[in-house]
Amino acid sequence: MPNLLGFFYGRSPKKMQQDTVLQHARMYGNRPKEDLAVSRFYTTAGHYNAFKWVHEFDSALRHAFETGAHDRGVAFVMRDVSNRVTPCAPSKILVSDIVSLRPNGALLPVGFQTRAKTDLSKIMAEVDALVPPDAVDSKQPVGFKCEIAVKMLELIQAAFRFEDGYSFDWEACRAAVEYFSKISSPEEERGD
């Protein structure tokens, strides 16, 4: 067939690193849109699914930067359900400051005491003022704006006194709240 562009992707590692796969994709070149009609890319079904995950991760990361979700300098690294695609080599992650969030997990401070009651009364008054009125004495969860949750976290941070050897990454906690509110939640609930 005249002018047919054909590519075969046969590299088959047990784990695919997203950054490497994206580099491999560059070897096919930046082609004009018109060439799509005469371009064919051949690979296995497993590779195709891995490429779909790479595209999803890359699109989510791009969206997060475009919407300002990473303004706190926190990037969220995801894995595919098959655990075949990783974001990059483990050595690159080791040199980063990582806080792991897993499905059904929790990001909670441990190893702390709260400050004295006299110190807490001012903090708690400010936090209480941010609680939506319909949440008081409610038996059901009540939604409210992400900015209020982040402000509450900033206020209660001063209420904690950590024991030696313990700490908590408040910035990562606030970034996680913003990420799950502004990026990963259903579109109609974003910002809440």
Side-chain angles (χ1 to χ4, degrees):
M1 178 174 278
N3 300 321
L4 177 66
L5 301 171
F7 302 101
F8 295 88
Y9 190 89
R11 187 175 181 274
S12 197
K14 288 181 182 162
K15 293 252 188 206
M16 289 184 134
Q17 294 175 10
Q18 179 175 340
D19 58 345
T20 303
V21 170
L22 288 171
Q23 288 295 332
H24 289 169
R26 288 184 177 177
M27 73 180 138
Y28 303 112
N30 184 12
R31 308 237 177 247
K33 198 170 190 171
E34 298 78 32
D35 281 0
L36 291 178
V38 293
S39 296
R40 297 295 178 263
F41 181 83
Y42 300 94
T43 193
T44 65
H47 283 36
Y48 174 77
N49 288 326
F51 291 148
K52 277 183 19 182
W53 278 109
V54 167
H55 174 70
E56 288 293 320
F57 297 161
D58 195 55
S59 295
L61 183 63
R62 180 176 301 279
H63 176 71
F65 278 105
E66 287 172 349
T67 59
H70 292 322
D71 286 348
R72 291 188 183 277
V74 178
F76 289 85
V77 179
M78 299 178 273
R79 292 186 183 270
D80 67 308
V81 291
S82 70
N83 207 21
R84 184 161 179 230
V85 177
T86 59
C88 59
S91 59
K92 293 178 184 173
I93 292 179
L94 287 175
V95 297
S96 302
D97 187 14
I98 299 292
V99 174
S100 295
L101 299 175
R102 303 197 186 285
N104 302 314
L107 185 59
L108 300 171
V110 293
F112 66 88
Q113 296 293 325
T114 54
R115 299 208 177 268
K117 187 177 180 180
T118 53
D119 296 332
L120 288 179
S121 58
K122 180 179 184 280
I123 295 169
M124 292 314 299
E126 290 182 68
V127 171
D128 287 344
L130 294 173
V131 175
D134 54 337
V136 177
D137 297 324
S138 174
K139 304 276 190 239
Q140 299 296 320
V142 175
F144 52 94
K145 292 290 177 200
C146 175
E147 289 75 23
I148 294 174
V150 170
K151 181 66 176 168
M152 286 178 175
L153 285 169
E154 289 170 356
L155 290 169
I156 66 169
Q157 181 176 349
F160 289 78
R161 186 174 38 83
F162 286 91
E163 298 168 8
D164 288 341
Y166 290 94
S167 64
F168 183 67
D169 192 339
W170 291 97
E171 191 66 18
C173 185
R174 288 187 288 268
V177 167
E178 289 175 337
Y179 175 81
F180 288 114
S181 171
K182 296 177 180 178
I183 299 299
S184 70
S185 62
E187 195 161 339
E188 65 276 1
E189 296 175 11
R190 289 197 179 143
D192 290 343

